[in-house]
Amino acid sequence: IGGLRIMTAWSRAGGTGKTTIATALAQAFARRSLKTLLIGLGSPDVMPLQIGLQPEPNILSWLGNPTDDGLRASIQTVGDLHVLAGFPDILSEAQGDKPAEAKGSLTELVTSAAYGGYAAIMLDTPAGGIAPRAVSAANTWLMIARPTVADVWTSVEAFRTVTQKSAGQHRITPGNIFVVLNQRTDGMLTADEWHRAADAACRKMGLGVGFPPVVSVIPYVPEVAIAQDNGRSALDSSDEFARPILKLSDMLFGNAAGSPSGRDNANTLRLGPLKIRTKK
């Protein structure tokens, strides 16, 4: 456990299921009494539709009033999860593309959320556009990829961009980069095959470091899309989908999350030497 998790669920390829994984993981955190904020950064952001929320209020509401009060007024809830919906269209996304030190930047948003007591902040990050700002604001990168050779190459290139071209511009350490293989079916690359190919590509590019580990393999489950089309949680759609998501949440926050032995009181979660304030 490294403390507050500000996670960007991101990959350079589209269609990998970033929104699905980000949303399901955020709901898993919230159900364990970790105060959790899910921030959509899509344009247009489909995430609210997939979990039965409205497109407004959204991140533009906060940009119009980038204060703690503005954040509270812009949040919607689904169960225990707090949600800040993303941009309504691609033109409005430019309003969020601000340097970290600027008023109304994504860094200011996550900082405000952290001071507001959120222990888990999940950024559902699109393939392009505002992605560099999300990476800069995060301290953990969940690299969502499909178990294909094409995604190996796009993932390695994204890894090189973050660790070399953008070195010093973010707070993500190599130990906080994790690969999640999504939508796997029979005949596709296994986790070991995918990782060996990524390691080989790293060597070919002369990166000089090993590729981050594959920490979860999530199968293709048709019930997930059906649930999302009806505005229901993917996490509740199938045990086959939920099991690896819950194991991934264990890895990111420790098995103490939500367990009686891990609590000091109703609003504090103890994870070893660390204390995290939880939602009331």
Side-chain angles (χ1 to χ4, degrees), residues 155-231:
S155 297
V156 171
E157 178 54 39
F159 180 62
R160 180 171 71 167
T161 298
V162 171
T163 58
Q164 289 193 347
K165 297 179 181 179
S166 300
Q169 301 177 32
H170 54 78
R171 298 171 292 178
I172 301 174
T173 64
N176 277 335
I177 303 176
F178 309 105
V179 179
V180 177
L181 294 185
N182 189 32
Q183 303 171 359
R184 187 182 185 278
T185 60
D186 291 341
M188 301 180 79
L189 295 178
T190 65
D192 286 344
E193 290 168 341
W194 195 97
H195 193 264
R196 281 198 298 270
D199 259 346
C202 280
R203 289 193 295 273
K204 187 172 183 179
M205 291 182 178
L207 295 185
V209 294
F211 199 75
V214 176
V215 296
S216 183
V217 178
I218 299 172
Y220 171 71
V221 180
E223 289 82 2
V224 167
I226 295 171
Q228 291 173 326
D229 284 348
N230 289 279

Side-chain angles (χ1 to χ4, degrees), residues 1-19:
I1 303 299
L4 168 70
R5 288 273 192 199
I6 305 170
M7 296 156 280
T8 176
W10 175 62
S11 68
R12 195 64 188 88
T16 61
K18 294 181 288 290
T19 296

Side-chain angles (χ1 to χ4, degrees), residues 10-14 18 41-43 93 124-134:
W10 175 62
S11 68
R12 195 64 188 88
K18 294 181 288 290
L41 296 175
S43 56
E93 183 183 1
D124 175 23
T125 305
I130 201 173
R133 304 297 186 195

Side-chain angles (χ1 to χ4, degrees), residues 24 50 55 67 75 90 99 170 190 204 236-237 255-256 267 280:
Q50 294 180 346
T67 64
I75 286 173
I90 195 169
H170 54 78
T190 65
K204 187 172 183 179
D236 298 326
S237 66
N255 288 319
N267 298 317
K280 292 181 180 179

